């Protein structure tokens, strides 16, 4: 015998409970106040009044809404508003009006100052442009405005400066001309620009106008089309799965035409040496027919079968006419 192994991870099968310690020996005495006689005052102090419901009366019936509101005591309250609220509202309105007037006056002053600065700058630019125009005319005329002392002339420096100014002016005119040409070429005509716009852009700009004709409202390919309407309405013995032939250009005459291919030696037939004569024969005559079949010339349509309405096996008579008993049948019975 040996002790069975236990799983160390398995939880314990019982639970330890900590029981409070019992009283000692001897037990400790419990002190109580001496009993007193209950007085009327103590009874009144310990009396708990019954709950008065605002929804149901003593008999258990639900109270109506107007009686509950009347018993709530809301009508007994008096709300008073301080008189200073009106003065506060008036003061706020006056302060707002005064602030708006001050802001408007300050904006007007700023606009006036900005306009004066604008006029001043315009006058300065006008004067500068006039001076530049005068100097340009002098350069074109060949004159030089020298602020230097005439007693100390420098002909070489003046000539070089005049040439530089003239080259600079010519170059500036060329640059301005090229810029104007580029701007003109980049701008397209209004009609061309409108024609190249996308339909979504035309709709956004309000330029897309619907056509007044009724032809564009419907697709003309949907009208006068009867293909597919006769599908499923044919007889049971008719074969009308397809609405049109696969090869429209193949006529019956081209399908059922005598083949011009010559027999090969591999097929077991004897091929004569005069091949040209054989080609003439095969080009005019059809293939060899079946044994015992009646030859009707060249075939130009598919093979057709004739329907016989005669009862070959006598099934109709077997069903319609009952069989009469013979003497042999009576003897057997």
């Amino acid at each position: 015998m040996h002790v069975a192994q236990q799983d160390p991870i398995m939880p314990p099968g019982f639970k330890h409970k900590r029981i409070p310690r019992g009283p000692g020996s001897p037990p400790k005495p419990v002190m109580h106040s001496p009993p007193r006689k209950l007085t009327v005052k103590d009874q009144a102090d310990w009396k708990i009044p019954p709950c008065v419901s605002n929804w149901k009366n003593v008999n258990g019936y639900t109270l109506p809404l107007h009686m509950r509101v009347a018993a709530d005591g809301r009508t007994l309250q008096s709300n008073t508003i301080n008189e200073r609220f009106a003065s506060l509202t008036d003061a706020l309105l006056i302060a707002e009006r005064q602030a708006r007037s001050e802001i408007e006056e300050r904006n007007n002053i700023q606009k006036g100052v900005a306009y004066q600065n604008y006029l001043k700058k315009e006058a300065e630019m006008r004067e500068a442009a006039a001076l530049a125009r005068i100097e340009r005319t002098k350069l074109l005329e060949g004159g030089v405005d020298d602020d230097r002392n005439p007693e100390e002339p420098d002909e070489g420096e003046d000539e070089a400066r005049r040439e530089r100014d003239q080259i600079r002016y010519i170059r500036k005119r060329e640059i301005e001309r090229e810029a104007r040409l580029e701007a003109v070429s980049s701008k397209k005509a209004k009609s061309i620009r409108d024609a190249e716009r996308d339909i979504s852009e035309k709709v956004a700009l309000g330029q897309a106008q619907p056509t007044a004709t009724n032809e564009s409202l419907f697709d003309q390919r949907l009208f006068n089309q009867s293909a597919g309407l006769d599908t499923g309405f044919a007889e049971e013995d008719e074969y009308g799965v397809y609405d049109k032939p696969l090869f429209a250009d193949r006529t019956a005459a081209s399908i059922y035409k005598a083949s011009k291919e010559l027999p090969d030696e591999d097929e077991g037939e004897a091929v004569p040496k005069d091949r040209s004569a054989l080609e003439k024969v095969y080009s005019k005559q059809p293939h060899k027919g079946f044994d015992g079949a009646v030859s009707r010339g060249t075939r130009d349509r598919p093979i057709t079968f004739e329907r016989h309405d005669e009862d070959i096996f006598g099934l109709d008579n077997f069903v319609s006419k009952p069989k009469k008993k013979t003497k042999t049948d009576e003897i057997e019975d």
Side-chain angles (χ1 to χ4, degrees):
M1 297 177 65
H2 59 85
V3 179
Q5 295 182 358
Q6 295 182 357
D7 190 359
I9 306 178
M10 183 181 295
F14 53 88
K15 184 177 181 181
H16 296 281
K17 295 183 179 180
R18 301 186 66 179
I19 302 174
R21 184 180 298 176
S25 180
K28 296 181 180 180
V30 180
M31 306 300 292
H32 296 281
S33 61
R36 294 189 300 271
K37 188 176 180 180
L38 187 62
T39 61
V40 179
K41 185 178 181 302
D42 294 338
Q43 291 180 3
D45 293 340
W46 283 99
K47 183 179 180 181
I48 300 174
C51 179
V52 179
S53 176
N54 200 18
W55 294 85
K56 292 184 179 181
N57 56 9
V58 182
N59 297 328
Y61 296 102
T62 305
L63 297 175
L65 182 61
H66 65 278
M67 295 182 66
R68 289 202 303 268
V69 173
D72 196 9
R74 296 178 183 179
T75 57
L76 302 177
Q77 298 177 0
S78 60
N79 299 323
T80 57
I81 300 174
N82 196 344
E83 297 178 355
R84 295 185 178 180
F85 278 105
S87 60
L88 176 62
T89 306
D90 295 339
L92 291 175
L93 291 174
I94 293 169
E96 183 180 0
R97 191 181 301 112
Q98 185 176 1
R100 289 179 181 275
S101 62
E102 291 178 357
I103 292 171
E104 186 177 359
E105 185 177 357
R106 184 169 62 250
N107 292 336
N108 293 333
I109 293 171
Q110 290 179 357
K111 289 180 181 179
V113 172
Y115 184 69
Q116 293 296 332
N117 294 333
Y118 171 73
L119 293 178
K120 185 177 180 181
K121 288 182 179 180
E122 285 289 333
E124 292 177 356
M125 292 176 65
R126 196 178 296 109
E127 293 177 359
L131 293 174
R133 198 178 300 111
I134 293 170
E135 291 180 358
R136 185 175 60 183
T137 55
K138 288 181 179 181
L139 288 174
L140 292 176
E141 292 175 357
V144 181
D145 188 9
D146 291 333
D147 296 335
R148 297 173 301 171
N149 191 0
E151 298 178 357
E152 299 177 358
D154 190 356
E155 295 295 337
E157 185 178 352
D158 294 342
E159 186 69 23
R161 186 178 63 180
R162 190 182 300 109
E163 291 179 0
R164 289 195 303 271
D165 293 341
Q166 189 174 3
I167 294 171
R168 190 181 298 111
Y169 175 73
I170 294 171
R171 182 57 181 164
K172 182 180 178 182
R173 291 290 300 274
E174 292 178 356
I175 292 172
E176 291 178 356
R177 182 174 177 276
E178 291 177 358
R180 287 196 298 270
L181 292 175
E182 185 177 357
V184 170
S185 62
S186 61
K187 292 182 180 178
K188 296 181 179 179
K190 185 177 183 301
S191 59
I192 299 175
R193 186 172 64 253
D194 294 341
E196 293 181 355
R197 291 186 189 277
D198 190 44
I199 184 61
S200 59
E201 189 176 359
K202 289 183 180 180
V203 171
L205 296 175
Q207 297 178 357
Q209 299 294 335
T211 55
T213 59
N214 297 328
E215 297 179 358
S216 62
L217 297 179
F218 305 99
D219 192 356
Q220 298 297 327
R221 294 174 296 177
L222 301 177
F223 300 113
N224 301 327
Q225 298 292 335
S226 60
L229 296 179
D230 55 349
T231 304
F233 297 99
E235 298 295 336
E236 295 181 356
D237 56 347
E238 291 186 6
Y239 186 74
V241 178
Y242 304 103
D243 56 349
K244 58 183 179 179
L246 179 61
F247 302 102
D249 57 343
R250 294 184 62 183
T251 59
S254 62
I255 295 175
Y256 302 101
K257 191 175 182 181
S259 176
K260 296 182 180 180
E261 297 179 0
L262 300 177
D264 297 333
E265 295 181 356
D266 298 338
E267 297 179 0
E269 297 182 5
V271 181
K273 296 181 180 181
D274 191 0
R275 195 174 184 85
S276 60
L278 188 62
E279 289 178 358
K280 292 180 180 180
V281 173
Y282 266 83
S283 62
K284 296 180 179 179
Q285 296 181 1
H287 282 300
K288 183 179 179 182
F290 298 101
D291 294 339
V294 179
S295 177
R296 295 184 178 181
T298 305
R299 186 185 302 116
D300 58 351
R301 57 180 57 87
I303 299 173
T304 56
F305 298 91
E306 296 179 358
R307 176 178 293 181
H308 293 277
D309 296 334
E310 300 177 359
D311 189 7
I312 301 174
F313 299 99
L315 298 177
D316 296 339
N317 298 331
F318 178 77
V319 175
S320 60
K321 298 179 181 179
K323 184 179 179 182
K324 297 181 180 180
K325 285 187 177 182
T326 59
K327 295 182 179 182
T328 308
D329 297 335
E330 294 177 355
I331 295 171
E332 290 179 358
D333 293 340

